[in-house]
Amino acid sequence: MFARVAVSTPIAAAAAALWTALLWAPAARADDAPRRTIRVTGEASVKATPDIASVSAGVVSEADEAKEAIEQNRLAMSAVIDKLKAAGVKPEDLSTSGFSLSPIYDSKSASLPRRSDQPRISGYRARNEVRVTVREVTEVGAVIDSLVESGANSLGGVSFDVSEPEPLLDEARKMAVADALRKAQIYAEAAGVSLGDIIEIAPNERETIRVTAYRRASAEAFDASTPIEPGQTDLSSSVSLTIELQ
C-alpha cells in the first residue's frame, strides 16, 4: 500500500488559490455591463421687452498742440457730463469708456514718397467717450438730445438690455430641459428602446444671447424727431442631457 505524499510547489499553490477563488466568486452581475446611453441637447428662448438702455457718446477735439487738444476736450466733456447730471442722470450711471490722444499728420506729407524724415505732424486729436446707462428706455431720445446739445460730437451707439434677466432665464432653462427630454423620447421610440434615468445634466455656460440694437454714427445723424425703439430681446438657454437606455 502506497502512502500519499503531498507535493507543495509554487505552481501547485497558485493553481489551488485560483480554483478556490473561482469557486467562491459571485456570478457576474448584469449591472457590470456598460450602460447604453443617449446624449441630447435642448434649447429654448424667452422673449422680453428691454427695460434698460446704454448710450455711448463722446467728444473729439483737435488743436495744434497736444496740451491744447486735451484742455479743449476736458472743458467740452465736462459740459457734457454736467448737462447729463442736470437732466437727472445719476453719477453711478456715467462711466468713461475710452480716452485717447493721437497725432494728426499732414495729408500732403503723408502722400509723398517715403523719405528718411517722418511725416509732419500738423496737430493732435483728443477723444473722450462716456457710457450712459438709461434706466427708462423711453428717455433714450431725450438723453441723446442732451448729449448733442451739450457738445458731444460722436455717438457710438445705443444698446438695450433686461435689468433682471434671471427669472426669464430660469424659465428658458426649464424649457431647454423639456426640449432635450422630448428629443430623447423621439429617438428612443424610433430605436425601439425606452428611456431610463438621467445620468448627467450639463448646462451650456453661455446661456444668455441678447439681441442688441446698435448704431454707430456722427451726432448729426440723430434727429430729435426720430424715435428709437428698443424692440425685443431673446434670452436663451441650452442644456445637454445624458440618459440611460433600457
Side-chain angles (χ1 to χ4, degrees):
M1 184 174 182
F2 296 97
R4 293 184 179 181
V5 179
V7 180
S8 177
T9 64
I11 297 178
L18 177 60
W19 178 250
T20 303
L22 291 175
L23 287 176
W24 288 99
R29 297 177 301 174
D31 293 344
D32 295 335
R35 286 181 173 181
R36 297 185 304 166
T37 62
I38 181 174
R39 186 176 180 85
V40 290
T41 299
E43 299 175 337
S45 62
V46 177
K47 290 188 178 297
T49 300
D51 59 356
I52 192 171
S54 178
V55 179
S56 178
V59 175
V60 179
S61 306
E62 296 181 358
D64 294 337
E65 300 294 333
K67 183 177 180 180
E68 183 182 357
I70 291 177
E71 180 62 16
Q72 290 182 8
N73 189 274
R74 183 187 68 80
L75 294 174
M77 199 63 189
S78 295
V80 170
I81 293 176
D82 290 343
K83 179 74 173 181
L84 290 171
K85 290 181 178 179
V89 178
K90 298 180 179 180
E92 57 267 27
D93 291 333
L94 290 171
S95 62
T96 300
S97 57
F99 179 83
S100 64
L101 176 68
S102 58
I104 302 174
Y105 295 100
D106 183 75
S107 58
K108 294 182 179 179
S109 63
S111 62
L112 294 175
R114 184 173 179 82
R115 300 176 181 177
S116 57
D117 56 338
Q118 297 294 326
R120 187 175 67 86
I121 296 176
S122 60
Y124 291 87
R125 179 182 295 112
R127 181 187 300 271
N128 194 343
E129 296 182 348
V130 64
R131 183 174 298 277
V132 185
T133 300
V134 185
R135 302 293 174 179
E136 296 289 340
V137 293
T138 57
E139 298 297 324
V140 172
V143 170
I144 292 177
D145 290 345
S146 297
L147 287 167
V148 175
E149 291 171 1
S150 60
N153 55 12
S154 175
L155 292 177
V158 181
S159 61
F160 297 94
D161 208 342
V162 178
S163 59
E164 297 183 1
E166 281 304 316
L168 296 171
L169 276 174
D170 288 343
E171 187 64 27
R173 289 164 183 147
K174 295 177 183 178
M175 294 169 59
V177 172
D179 182 56
L181 291 173
R182 179 187 63 83
K183 293 176 181 177
Q185 186 63 42
I186 293 174
Y187 291 133
E189 291 178 357
V193 296
S194 58
L195 297 177
D197 296 333
I198 297 177
I199 299 174
E200 182 184 32
I201 300 177
N204 190 333
E205 292 295 335
R206 296 175 297 177
E207 286 185 324
T208 307
I209 303 174
R210 292 187 171 88
V211 179
T212 302
Y214 186 83
R215 182 181 181 186
R216 185 173 186 86
S218 63
E220 292 77 7
F222 286 86
D223 190 282
S225 62
T226 303
I228 297 179
E229 299 295 335
Q232 284 192 316
T233 296
D234 288 334
L235 290 89
S236 303
S237 179
S238 176
V239 64
S240 295
L241 301 183
T242 302
I243 307 174
E244 187 177 13
L245 297 176
Q246 293 180 348

